[in-house]
Amino acid sequence: MRAPGFWHQPAGLASTLLSPLGALYAAGTKRRLANGPRAAVGVPVICVGNINAGGTGKTPTVIALAENLRDRGLTAHVVSRGYGGTVTEPTRVVERDQTAEDVGDEPLLLAAFLPTWVAQDRAAGARAAVKAGAQVIVLDDGFQNPSLAHDLSIVVVDAWRGFGNGRVIPAGPLREPVETGMARADLLLSIGAEPAQARFTKRWGHAVTVPHLTGELVPLPTGLPLDGMPVLAFAGIGHPEKFFQTLRGLGADLHAAHALPDHQPLNDTLMARLLREADMRGAQVVTTEKDAVRLKPEFRQRVMTLPVRLRLNEKGPLDAALDRILSAGS
């Protein structure tokens, strides 16, 4: 399901009419978060979450955190709900044995970088990870989940989209009001190029009450020259246009750009249609890492993957926060 267009436009009639429902949604989130004490699992827990519904760049942020913690000599495990998967009990993700249908696409991607668990009960998943040797838990999403205590909460936002029209689902893209989320956050990370960062600061700078990190997703070399290459791109992520813009920035001749719903299953019919169209256009099919893990093996050799990584503009606030929680837990 795609987000309604009015979520990212100035508040108008549709969002105004839906605001009472948004207030009920916000009240439900607040009530859920107030339910009882959160579980502690004996190791630091870092939550990478968001206030917006949909993709904001959490997965690249988790990967960047994993690299930081590894460089510190620490064994970090990810715990995720496994959105889109069928596994419910705490389960360690094993790439060769599981598919995105089992555990979700994001955990399957993250498992290539560090030990990753899926569990509907985040606290149970974290306990399983600690039992398996985790020294730090990185919680992928879960900012609005009340089961597990967080030592550090990082809210991630797309700099260009910001917090949309500032209203709560279904009147806008937010899971809770910005000021409510900021009150629980320790750091805010906005992801985007400089024009997007300037736009975010102008629109939302007044609402940022915690240290503000900025960063950008940068493509890794693929070994294939994209400059001038005819490309058919598809992406089933939170903001597909960002991926298409990246390809254009690398000089790709974008013959077609197919924006799919987030987590769209890549079934045989869809892939046959995309590959047939690419053949007709004489174009190379290109997609994201998160989409690529949902591909069946027989399609992977026909599809080029463009990986991206988070590059922080200033690491000081993050390093200071990590020093604080890691020294407290030692």
Side-chain angles (χ1 to χ4, degrees):
M1 180 179 176
R2 289 192 179 93
F6 68 82
W7 277 11
H8 298 285
Q9 298 170 359
L13 179 61
S15 61
T16 299
L17 292 175
L18 291 169
S19 287
L21 293 177
L24 290 174
Y25 190 104
T29 299
K30 182 178 180 180
R31 185 167 53 251
R32 186 174 69 252
L33 288 168
N35 282 342
R38 297 183 178 215
V41 292
V43 302
V45 174
I46 303 170
C47 175
V48 178
N50 54 16
I51 296 173
N52 302 57
T56 56
K58 294 189 303 297
T59 302
T61 303
V62 170
I63 293 170
L65 260 178
E67 292 173 345
N68 186 310
L69 294 166
R70 182 195 61 210
D71 291 346
R72 291 167 177 260
L74 295 170
T75 301
H77 288 208
V78 170
V79 174
S80 171
R81 190 186 97 181
Y83 181 86
T86 57
V87 169
T88 58
E89 296 301 314
T91 302
R92 183 163 174 174
V93 179
V94 180
E95 294 174 88
R96 65 180 180 273
D97 296 337
Q98 293 157 331
T99 67
E101 288 75 19
D102 299 321
V103 297
D105 49 17
E106 289 155 345
L108 200 60
L109 172 57
L110 289 168
F113 297 90
L114 74 167
T116 300
W117 299 75
V118 294
Q120 286 194 352
D121 183 336
R122 293 344 196 286
R127 284 191 288 267
V130 171
K131 188 175 180 180
Q135 296 172 296
V136 183
I137 299 296
V138 180
L139 188 61
D140 178 28
D141 211 349
F143 187 60
Q144 288 81 24
N145 184 281
S147 65
L148 190 61
H150 306 159
D151 296 278
L152 178 66
S153 292
I154 304 171
V155 168
V156 184
V157 63
D158 177 272
W160 185 259
R161 288 190 166 188
F163 298 114
N165 62 11
R167 294 186 171 177
V168 176
I169 298 169
L174 304 184
R175 298 174 175 181
E176 57 184 319
V178 174
E179 60 273 17
T180 304
M182 285 291 100
R184 297 198 320 282
D186 298 297
L187 296 171
L188 176 74
L189 168 62
S190 56
I191 299 178
E194 181 52 40
Q197 298 291 354
R199 174 186 169 104
F200 179 82
T201 299
K202 181 178 180 180
R203 176 69 178 88
W204 294 105
H206 68 280
V208 179
T209 56
V210 297
H212 182 190
L213 299 164
T214 63
E216 186 175 0
L217 298 181
V218 296
L220 293 179
T222 62
L224 291 176
L226 278 167
D227 191 15
M229 178 185 287
V231 164
L232 180 149
F234 71 89
I237 57 176
H239 190 186
E241 184 55 37
K242 288 179 66 175
F243 175 62
F244 305 145
Q245 288 172 355
T246 297
L247 290 171
R248 293 186 187 102
L250 292 170
D253 181 8
L254 205 58
H255 283 218
H258 294 283
L260 307 177
D262 200 6
H263 307 285
Q264 166 78 44
L266 302 177
N267 58 39
D268 292 356
T269 301
L270 172 61
M271 289 309 304
R273 177 172 64 80
L274 291 173
L275 292 171
R276 185 166 57 249
E277 181 184 352
D279 288 341
M280 291 174 59
R281 294 176 179 272
Q284 169 67 49
V285 182
V286 183
T287 194
T288 71
E289 280 185 295
K290 196 175 89 168
D291 290 290
V293 299
R294 299 200 304 279
L295 287 170
K296 290 184 177 179
E298 57 264 33
F299 297 124
R300 288 180 185 168
Q301 62 181 1
R302 294 283 312 275
V303 179
M304 174 182 166
T305 302
L306 181 67
V308 296
R309 295 292 179 267
L310 174 65
R311 181 177 63 200
L312 292 176
N313 295 321
E314 171 55 58
K315 297 181 179 180
L318 175 61
D319 284 335
L322 291 175
D323 288 344
R324 172 178 56 81
I325 67 163
L326 296 174
S327 62
S330 60

